[in-house]
Structure formats: C-alpha cells, structure tokens
Amino acid sequence: MGYLKYLAFRIVNAIIVLLIVTFIISALFVKVAEESNKSKMYEELMLWERSEGAKIKQSQGLEAFEQAKAAKQASLEDKYELNVPYWQKVYNKAIRTLKLDFGTTSMPIFGTNNVSDIIKVAVPRSILLFTTATIIVIILGIFLGVRAARHAGSVFDRALSIFALVTYSLPMWWTGMMFLLIFAYKLGWFPLSSMFDPQLTGWAHIKDVIWRLALPVFTYVFVIFGGWAWTTRNIMIGTLQEDFIMAARAKGIPEHKIIYGHALRAAAPPIVTMIIFALLGSLGGAIISELVFNYPGMGRLYWVALQQNETSLLIGLTYFFTVLYLASVVLADMIYGFLDPRVKVGASARM
Amino acid sequence: MRWVDIKEGFKEFLDEFKKEKTGIAGVILLIILVLVALTAPYTTIPNLPEKWRNSQYWEDNPKNVPPTWYNMFTSQKLVPQEVYYKDELKITQLNKNTTIIEVDYVLPENYYFGPQGIIVKNINVTLNSPYEVPTISVYFERPDGKTVPLLVNKQLSSSLTVAVGRDSTISSNIYIWLVNVTEGREITMFEVPLETILISDMVAPLFAKVEPGMNVDDIIENPQPLPGTYKLILKIDNPAPDENKVIYDDIKVTFLGRTYGTMGTDYLGRDIWAGLIWGSRVSLTIGILVSVLSTIIGLVYGVTSAYLGGNADEFMMRINEIFASIPSLPILILIGATAGHITLWFIVVLLVIFGWMGIARIARSMALQIKEQTYIEAAKALGAGNGRIIFKHILPQLLPYAFAVIALSVPGAVIAEASLSFLGIGDPTAVTWGQILNAAQAQAATTKGYWWWVIPPGLGIAVVGLTFVLIGTALDKILNPRLRRL
C-alpha cells in the first residue's frame, strides 16, 4: 500500500503545481499580448480611417463617420479581445491550455497555423539532435565515470576530473561557435548551418541530416559528458567504500561483477534520476545552441515565437516544457521509490 | 561559538586548504581576475561603457582586423595601426596662401596589402569670409615615382574628415588613376563601375605594383604589395588667410592597420581587448552577487521549511516546486524583452528569483536531519524561539556547505548572464562578454572566420567559471559534512 499511496501523492502534487504554473504563465503572456494587441488595434483603426473612413466622411458627413468609426473600433476590440476583462482572459486561456487546445498563430510556421501541429513538427527534430546526443553522453559518461572510480587517483582519473571541471565552466553555445569556427570555417568538414535541405529525399536526405547533425551532436557531447563522468565517479567512489563491496570482494566475486552488479546497482537511484531529467529535458531543445547552429528545433521555435510575438505558441511551448519537467519529477520519484525502498517508507510515514 | 574557536577553526581550515593544489590555483586565478577587473580604467580606456556604443569614438580604428601578434604565426604579415600627430608631420608654408603637409609612411618587405585606410581629421577652420573657403587637395606619392591624386580642391571645414578607403569619391579617383596608368586613357567619374568601388578594397591597389599594361581588375582582385616609402601630401589653399584661419595643432593622420592592438577590433572598430577587460567586471560582480544571494535565500528558505514542518513545510515546498517547474530561460527572455531598459541589478534579481530552488531543497533535507538532534530539543525546552533556533543553531551547521555551493554556482550565474546578453537582453550601458558575442553572432563572425572576436569572450567566461569551480571543489573536499551524502 505504501508505494501506491506514495505514487498517488506525488502525481496529485504534480498536477496541482501544473495548474498553478499554467495560470501564472497565462497571466504573464496574456499581459504581454494585451499590450501588443492594443497597438495592433490602433494601427488597424488608423488604416481604416485613412481608407474607408475617409470615403464615408466625404460621402455621408462627419456624424456618420463618427458612428462608423465607433462601430469599427468595437468590432476591432472584439477581434483582439480587448473588451474582455484581463482575468477573464487569463482564466479562459489557462483552461484552454489545460485542455491542450493551444489555439493558432497569426503567421504560419513550418507551413501551418495550428500550435499543436507546429510543436509536433519541432519535437522530433529536437529528439533527433538532443536525445541522440544525450544517449551518447549517458553511455560515455557512466562508462568513463565507472572506469575513473575503479582507478581513483590514476592519470586517467585526474585527466577526466580536469576535463570535467573545464567543460563545466564552458557555455555550450560558445563551444558551438568555436567548433563552427574550427571545423566548419577553417577545415570545412561540416556545414555552417544545420538547417536541412528540404529538396533531398531518401538516402540523400538521411546522409544530409547526418552530415548536418554531426557538429551539434559532437558539441553537446563534448560539453556535457565530462560532468556526467565526474558525477558518476563521485557516486561510485562513495559506494565502492561501503562494507558490502568489501564483503563481496572477500567472497571472491570477480571484480567486473562487483563493479557492474553490486556497486552500480547500489549507486543507481541518483544516476537514474539524472538520466530521466536529461532524457526528458532533451525534448525541449536548447534555445541558444539551436540559434548558433541554425537548427530548426524546439529552442529556435521558441525564439521565433518570441520575436514574432506569437502568444499562443509561447504559452503552448512553455506549457510543454513545464509538463516535461513535472513528468520527470514524478517519473524520477517513482523509479527512486522502486530502486530505493527507504524513500517511500519515509514519505508515507510522514503522511 | 567563542571568538577563539572561530579563529582556531579558521586556522585549521587554512592549513587544510593550503594542501589542495586545485584550490590554491583557483585562489590565484581569482586574485588575478579581481586585479584585472579593478584596474580596467587604468590598463585600457577609462569610462569605456560610455564610449562603447558611440560609433564615432571608434572611427579612427580599422574594422574587423585581427590582433597584431597574429603576424607571428603567418607568412603574410599585416601592418599595424600608425598614428601621426602634428609633431611627426612635415608642415611647410609655401607662401601666404598655400600650406603643404607631408607624411612619410614605410611599407616594409614581407607585408601584404598596406593599411586598411588613411584618415586625416581635426583640421580646425575658422570661417569669417564664406565666399573664399579654403580648399584641400590630397596626393599620394608612391615609391615607384607615381603620384595618385586622391582628392582635388575640396572645400575645407572643421568637420571634414578625409577617409581613404571609406569615401567613395576617393575610391573613384583611385580607380581613374589605375585606368590611366595601366591603359593610358582618361576616364570620367561616370565611367567608374560603382559595384567595384563599393565592394572591393580600393586601398590595397594604392600600395600595390601598378604598371602600364596590367589589368585593373587583376590589381584590385589580387594586389601585389610594393614595399618602400610612401608620402601622403596634403595641399591646403587658403585664398583669404587674414579672414579664414586654418589651424593644424590638433591634426591627426591615421594609417589604419590591418591588425590592431592586443585583441583586434570588431565591425565598428571597437577595441576588443578593452571590452574584454571591462567585461570581467560585470561577469565577476553578477556571478558572485547572484550565487551569494540565491544561496542565502535558498538556505534560509530550506531550513525554515524543514524546521516548521507539517503544513507549512508542504506549502513552502509547493511554492519551491512552482518556481522550479517554470522554464527559466524562456521566461527570463520574455521578461527581459518586455521590460524595456534593463539594468544589471534587474538581471541579478531575475537570476536570483530563478536560482534559489535547488539549494533550498538540499538545505531542507540537511536541516531535517539536524532538526532531530538532541541539542535542538534542548534549545526548545529552554524556550528559544523559532528564529533563534533557525539562525543560531541550524544555519551555522550548514555554513561550510554554503561556501562550497556559492563557489560552485558562480559558473552557472556567469553563463546565464552571458546567455541573456548574447540574446540581446542586457544592460545597454554596460560592456559584457555576452554582448560582445551577441554582436559577433549578429555580424556572422563565425562564418567569416573572425576568431579574435569569438574566442576571447568565451574563454573569459570559461576562466571565471573554472576559477570558482576549482575553489568550490577544494572547499567541498575539506568542508564536506557527512550530511551531504545523505
């Protein structure tokens, strides 16, 4: 009963947080949209005054013009939802967002106006780049980290630690610019822009995609895997000093089995948590790195939405990011409770 | 805690810290960084942030050129910047009406292209008789004996700047001269191809081999440098020397380098080295402020939450989760983009608002352990209030951990500030590394190969980050309380 109750508690908790965050996001974005809509409305009204309004003024006189102007303004206010009270709008937007009805954008992006469809186009691209890279990072990081922990204090261990410390302080987008400078500009091995060529199909398309993805993926792996290896190493060193490892060694279990069977199993909970956050986080892309590489994923989409003031798209994307994060939290809690039973006992005892 | 205990504890800590090589390296780096930041006005240009966006201030600098030391690594050497003031010029008064100013410029062997341009400015003219305006003619004498008329009888005023390489009239005159020498015919202003003048480098041919029979386009495309002594001649005619005074005291003649200074220049001719040095101030200040503030807030919040327990704890943790689940960078960009004028303080506040949650969680879990200790119970039994227990008994236990956290969260804050600046959201009255990179990205510096503009700011960010990571990991090793493992 403990585990299920613990799980239910975590999920309800996440849903409450999601509700509140959705309202906050809606309040924030609706406020921004109201400002831009107001100026848009006045612009349109001015335009009308100069064209149709002038005609009415000429043919029917000033009074009719004033009437027509008031009617036009009312219809425009209706169009831009300026006559609806602010909190009413926030509430409507939040409810619609929670129902996954994100609305439409004013300009088509990726050939469609529907926010859900736009996100559906961008997510696979971010997965293609960042999830692939994250998987490489996880495998490389855990493997190297475990190796460093086994030979703690060796040259390999020290080199890895230094590399991790250095890459931890590098901005990923700047590293991307550097690599573009070296590998794309100077050596010409990779393209300067990672935007796909839409004319290619079949095998040529796949080759084009791989060629264009190589540099961003390499950058991501280069900057991130050191930190992963270092964290894994620290966790593993702590675990390798525990008594049960010594007992296993005393029993004569092969070293390979001790490392991967006993120690890594015991060190799993925090590592699994990291994996979940990294994998789900990778769906959201990276705003600046995608800008640097000119890659049309989620991050760049967010930037485009900000530049073009697409409120619906912004709310949709932000909601998507929030859901991803909360899903990671719940999933991590779930697996943590599964791998380390002490956690759920502690939680249910408190309840 | 008595004062003696603190002194003792601190001495012990120092002794241990001295054994950590990485920590010592970090501290040395930090001292260097602080010194660099503090001495910025003396080692570079004073009040740089005020001048940074004023493109007129950088007019006398070449644009997009690499640093001077780059010559050590290439066979094609590029000339450095050279500036001449009144004392280095030869000024001869031919007669009452005519003055000749001569400037000698040497293009040594092995150098390519010559300067990027020539700028003559700050000739002061007091005009009392507007119908007899003084005029200036500019000639360029080359080592092969040929003379190029760059500018003939142009009206002279105080605001006049002769800019060889930027002025299209001068570029046209160079083209006309090129045609005249190579093909032997005179063409007019209207026969000069405009695209060539606007797009091509028209200064390089001035310093290149030009002989009859050569092709003009070839010379412009691929100029062969002609080393030797060149002479820039300014001839100033003043028809009414009694009414109109021409004064040369402030005159400044600049041969724009193909290389410049310690770190080259950007697209406005700004000295990137000065920008880098000044940028370190912002990075250090924001990095340290943000990490200190968010650590303090996180600690107090987490400990309070743990200590109060029950519903208050649940409530405070929900608020924590709400802040944690709002995607921070997008929201920061949104707030920054709509806030109008942004100050550095505003950026600090924003980064703190979205930066305290992780620390609060860890502090809470640590405080939950401490809370159960008997001495807390004893303090409660003695009638100590909540505030006293939190600030006097629980928080001091977490302090060592706090120092490590502060150091380790500086890189994140520095990168976050740089990221915002990189996206164009930053204080327009400050010079920051992120803004330098923003300009580089906007001008597509990476795709043009301007490495001196892209690499140094990022290295600066990396060095500041590394400094604090080194200190932080050393502190962590020494101060790491057992609690942290739990």
Side-chain angles (χ1 to χ4, degrees):
Chain A
M1 109 88 189
Y3 188 55
L4 275 183
K5 199 174 169 189
Y6 165 73
L7 210 65
F9 174 74
R10 300 305 302 172
I11 290 174
V12 169
N13 178 24
I15 290 174
I16 293 172
V17 171
L18 181 64
L19 286 177
I20 299 173
V21 171
T22 310
F23 270 93
I24 295 176
I25 296 170
S26 304
L28 213 63
F29 283 103
V30 167
K31 184 91 207 149
V32 175
E34 210 168 42
E35 303 288 319
S36 78
N37 276 352
K38 230 178 235 167
S39 59
K40 261 190 218 163
M41 187 206 81
Y42 280 114
E43 219 168 87
E44 208 164 307
L45 195 65
M46 288 279 281
L47 209 71
W48 177 86
E49 243 175 71
R50 255 181 261 145
S51 55
E52 273 176 63
K55 266 186 223 157
I56 294 175
K57 212 192 254 175
Q58 249 174 8
S59 57
Q60 298 166 30
L62 203 63
E63 205 166 304
F65 166 74
E66 287 295 340
Q67 257 174 12
K69 189 185 169 186
K72 179 76 189 171
Q73 185 160 3
S75 80
L76 279 177
E77 271 177 6
D78 215 39
K79 181 181 165 196
Y80 288 115
E81 292 188 329
L82 285 172
N83 44 8
V84 185
Y86 173 63
W87 288 110
Q88 178 77 37
K89 254 190 288 183
V90 171
Y91 177 78
N92 288 347
K93 194 80 209 173
I95 295 296
R96 256 186 284 153
T97 307
L98 287 170
K99 285 184 192 156
L100 297 181
D101 169 21
F102 300 125
T104 54
T105 58
S106 53
M107 296 268 220
I109 296 172
F110 303 144
T112 167
N113 277 64
N114 191 309
V115 170
S116 308
D117 290 344
I118 295 172
I119 295 179
K120 270 181 212 149
V121 174
V123 169
R125 292 185 182 159
S126 279
I127 292 178
L128 191 61
L129 171 52
F130 289 100
T131 311
T132 316
T134 306
I135 291 169
I136 298 174
V137 163
I138 292 169
I139 296 170
L140 209 62
I142 291 179
F143 177 72
L144 293 178
V146 168
R147 244 198 94 166
R150 273 172 75 177
H151 310 285
S154 65
V155 178
F156 171 73
D157 178 32
R158 286 208 188 137
L160 189 74
S161 297
I162 292 170
F163 181 80
L165 294 186
V166 172
T167 51
Y168 177 72
S169 5
L170 289 177
M172 197 208 295
W173 42 270
W174 176 75
T175 318
M177 287 170 94
M178 283 271 297
F179 285 169
L180 274 177
L181 206 57
I182 299 169
F183 298 111
Y185 174 79
K186 194 86 194 167
L187 301 172
W189 293 351
F190 297 105
L192 284 164
S193 160
S194 294
M195 197 79 84
F196 308 129
D197 189 341
Q199 257 122 40
L200 298 173
T201 48
W203 180 234
H205 174 67
I206 295 171
K207 252 175 38 187
D208 180 58
V209 167
I210 292 175
W211 187 52
R212 284 175 192 280
L213 280 182
L215 200 56
V217 168
F218 176 63
T219 309
Y220 186 87
V221 172
F222 178 84
V223 176
I224 307 290
F225 90 89
W228 267 79
W230 201 60
T231 316
T232 312
R233 164 198 178 269
N234 287 351
I235 297 170
M236 279 298 278
I237 284 182
T239 320
L240 282 173
Q241 285 162 356
E242 303 267 352
D243 293 340
F244 72 92
I245 298 290
M246 208 194 284
R249 283 204 176 117
K251 271 197 279 183
I253 294 172
E255 186 67 18
H256 185 79
K257 230 178 176 173
I258 290 177
I259 298 283
Y260 289 97
H262 293 67
L264 201 57
R265 169 69 182 79
I271 296 178
V272 169
T273 310
M274 277 163 58
I275 292 176
I276 291 168
F277 274 90
L279 281 182
L280 285 185
S282 70
L283 302 187
I287 295 181
I288 312 182
S289 302
E290 286 184 19
L291 284 180
V292 167
F293 283 110
N294 203 12
Y295 185 79
M298 288 289 278
R300 212 183 114 93
L301 180 63
Y302 204 102
W303 181 246
V304 170
L306 271 172
Q307 298 304 77
Q308 301 182 359
N309 242 327
E310 299 285 9
T311 316
S312 300
L313 183 53
L314 283 172
I315 294 182
L317 284 170
T318 316
Y319 183 75
F320 181 80
F321 293 148
T322 312
V323 169
L324 271 186
Y325 174 79
L326 286 170
S328 312
V329 172
V330 170
L331 214 61
D333 277 341
M334 217 165 99
I335 295 181
Y336 214 112
F338 184 70
L339 290 174
D340 188 353
R342 284 173 300 176
V343 176
K344 67 191 177 205
V345 172
S348 49
R350 265 199 296 125
M351 278 163 70
Chain B
M1 243 189 206
R2 286 176 306 153
W3 172 240
V4 190
D5 291 342
I6 294 175
K7 224 165 92 178
E8 195 83 340
F10 189 67
K11 207 173 154 274
E12 235 171 75
F13 162 75
L14 265 189
D15 285 341
E16 257 186 273
F17 193 83
K18 274 180 199 154
K19 284 179 211 145
E20 290 291 333
K21 273 185 225 147
T22 53
I24 295 294
V27 169
I28 293 172
L29 272 175
L30 180 63
I31 292 171
I32 295 173
L33 278 174
V34 169
L35 281 180
V36 164
L38 285 180
T39 57
Y42 311 106
T43 51
T44 59
I45 302 163
N47 288 331
L48 187 78
E50 287 164 26
K51 296 161 185 159
W52 193 249
R53 275 166 191 79
N54 176 5
S55 58
Q56 211 157 24
Y57 180 83
W58 306 101
E59 200 182 42
D60 294 350
N61 281 359
K63 298 178 197 317
N64 295 329
V65 297
T68 309
W69 50 262
Y70 182 54
N71 275 338
M72 286 194 280
F73 303 100
T74 57
S75 54
Q76 297 200 348
K77 293 202 186 310
L78 301 165
V79 294
Q81 176 104 333
E82 273 182 55
V83 185
Y84 299 84
Y85 293 100
K86 193 195 170 199
D87 295 341
E88 292 134 303
L89 306 176
K90 202 173 129 204
I91 303 180
T92 23
Q93 184 89 31
L94 272 190
N95 52 45
K96 208 157 128 304
N97 300 83
T98 315
T99 313
I100 303 268
I101 302 174
E102 288 174 319
V103 190
D104 282 333
Y105 181 84
V106 179
L107 179 66
E109 295 277 349
N110 294 332
Y111 276 79
Y112 276 69
F113 301 136
Q116 198 184 53
I118 305 167
I119 288 184
V120 182
K121 61 190 244 178
N122 293 349
I123 301 174
N124 284 322
V125 184
T126 350
L127 212 58
N128 288 324
S129 167
Y131 296 107
E132 293 166 299
V133 180
T135 58
I136 184 170
S137 300
V138 183
Y139 301 96
F140 196 61
E141 216 176 276
R142 294 155 39 98
D144 58 5
K146 300 187 177 73
T147 301
V148 190
L150 295 177
L151 208 57
V152 181
N153 290 337
K154 188 171 172 78
Q155 292 201 338
L156 188 63
S157 70
S158 285
S159 59
L160 180 86
T161 302
V162 178
V164 181
R166 290 179 196 164
D167 187 335
S168 59
T169 319
I170 297 179
S171 296
S172 303
N173 285 338
I174 296 172
Y175 192 91
I176 293 169
W177 171 79
L178 281 175
V179 173
N180 189 7
V181 172
T182 51
E183 297 170 26
R185 65 193 173 96
E186 291 281 346
I187 59 170
T188 60
M189 214 65 176
F190 306 102
E191 290 170 77
V192 176
L194 205 61
E195 320 86 78
T196 318
I197 300 301
L198 294 178
I199 295 164
S200 313
D201 181 351
M202 291 306 293
V203 187
L206 268 186
F207 294 85
K209 291 192 179 96
V210 180
E211 297 296 336
M214 286 169 89
N215 186 317
V216 175
D217 291 332
D218 270 356
I219 297 173
I220 293 171
E221 288 278 307
N222 187 16
Q224 300 297 319
L226 177 72
T229 307
Y230 292 81
K231 193 175 266 183
L232 184 74
I233 302 164
L234 310 173
K235 181 162 161 274
I236 292 142
D237 283 309
N238 191 354
D242 298 325
E243 284 87 30
N244 296 332
K245 291 262 178 309
V246 183
I247 297 157
Y248 308 104
D249 286 348
D250 295 333
I251 189 169
K252 185 179 177 192
V253 180
T254 313
F255 285 82
L256 299 177
R258 296 266 172 189
T259 60
Y260 184 87
T262 319
M263 230 13 121
T265 60
D266 68 2
Y267 74 115
L268 288 178
R270 296 186 289 209
D271 186 349
I272 292 176
W273 177 248
L276 281 179
I277 299 291
W278 276 85
S280 66
R281 292 185 154 203
V282 178
S283 264
L284 281 178
T285 323
I286 289 202
I288 294 172
L289 260 183
V290 168
S291 64
V292 168
L293 286 179
S294 45
T295 306
I296 291 175
I297 292 174
L299 272 185
V300 173
Y301 192 92
V303 170
T304 311
S305 173
Y307 179 75
L308 294 178
N311 285 336
D313 181 33
E314 282 297 324
F315 179 72
M316 286 176 83
M317 278 299 107
R318 280 312 79 74
I319 291 183
N320 180 301
E321 272 168 34
I322 289 170
F323 272 98
S325 34
I326 295 176
S328 58
L329 186 63
I331 297 295
L332 285 179
I333 297 171
L334 177 85
I335 296 174
T338 49
H341 178 85
I342 304 169
T343 61
L344 287 177
W345 289 108
F346 186 60
I347 292 179
V348 170
V349 170
L350 283 183
L351 290 180
V352 170
I353 288 177
F354 288 101
W356 56 274
M357 291 84 70
I359 302 152
R361 282 190 147 198
I362 299 169
R364 175 176 169 273
S365 64
M366 286 164 74
L368 278 178
Q369 312 272 337
I370 297 172
K371 198 181 138 189
E372 305 300 328
Q373 311 250 327
T374 39
Y375 72 90
I376 302 286
E377 230 167 287
K380 256 190 225 169
L382 283 169
N386 285 349
R388 188 180 168 84
I389 292 177
I390 289 173
F391 284 99
K392 199 94 192 187
H393 296 297
I394 302 183
L395 271 180
Q397 300 270 330
L398 300 182
L399 272 190
Y401 163 70
F403 283 115
V405 168
I406 287 176
L408 285 175
S409 56
V410 169
V414 171
I415 292 178
E417 186 276 322
S419 303
L420 285 180
S421 294
F422 181 76
L423 292 171
I425 296 150
D427 189 341
T429 59
V431 184
T432 72
W433 293 335
Q435 286 171 359
I436 297 177
L437 285 171
N438 171 33
Q441 176 73 5
Q443 299 293 323
T446 41
T447 54
K448 291 174 190 158
Y450 298 155
W451 53 268
W452 58 92
W453 190 1
V454 178
I455 297 175
L459 276 186
I461 296 168
V463 168
V464 170
L466 187 65
T467 304
F468 286 94
V469 172
L470 288 177
I471 296 174
T473 45
L475 283 177
D476 207 25
K477 246 189 221 167
I478 299 168
L479 302 170
N480 190 5
R482 284 163 298 120
L483 288 166
R484 219 191 146 199
R485 290 255 185 89
L486 296 165

